[in-house]
Amino acid sequence: MAPALTYSLFWRGFTRTGLLATLYGGAACALVLMVFSKAVSGTPSAVFPDADFTLFPMQSTGLISIPFGYLAGWLGSRLDHWRRAADSLENRRLYEESEARLLAAE
């Protein structure tokens, strides 16, 4: 949530695709890390105290998932800009091919 808020307030190039990548990417990263953290297994206060499938050594996932959200938002926005630029170039090429016919009203 923090990456989406700061990007939307301070980055003019932040797109809808970047927003969705930030929200889904950060949430998925936090969920996966939480499942394999000490909060779920391996400690007396965990959800499953007798099982130990801990791969992530911390209880809080924010240290990893928040930077991952920033990275996902940046990458999503950049990919969206590149896709739009490619579409714009293709539209320009198609227009230039048919420009003579359009101007001649054929």
Side-chain angles (χ1 to χ4, degrees), residues 2-18:
L5 181 64
T6 55
Y7 272 154
S8 64
L9 288 175
F10 299 112
W11 185 25
R12 186 177 274 181
F14 191 52
T15 64
R16 182 180 184 272
T17 304

Side-chain angles (χ1 to χ4, degrees), residues 10 15 27 34 37 44 50 60-61 69 83 102:
F10 299 112
T15 64
M34 184 62 74
S37 73
D50 297 330
S60 176
T61 62
R83 182 186 55 82
L102 290 171

Side-chain angles (χ1 to χ4, degrees), residues 18-98:
L19 173 69
L20 294 175
T22 297
L23 294 176
Y24 291 146
C29 181
L31 184 64
V32 167
L33 290 175
M34 184 62 74
V35 167
F36 295 109
S37 73
K38 289 183 178 183
V40 176
S41 70
T43 61
S45 63
V47 177
F48 302 110
D50 297 330
D52 189 11
F53 47 88
T54 302
L55 298 175
F56 186 67
M58 298 177 225
Q59 286 187 348
S60 176
T61 62
L63 188 63
I64 304 297
S65 64
I66 291 173
F68 185 80
Y70 278 107
L71 179 65
W74 175 81
L75 187 61
S77 291
R78 296 290 12 141
L79 290 174
D80 191 38
H81 284 296
W82 292 332
R83 182 186 55 82
R84 288 182 187 195
D87 289 347
S88 177
L89 287 174
E90 179 65 18
N91 288 339
R92 179 71 180 172
R93 186 189 62 79
L94 291 172
Y95 174 76
E96 287 173 354
E97 286 177 359
S98 61

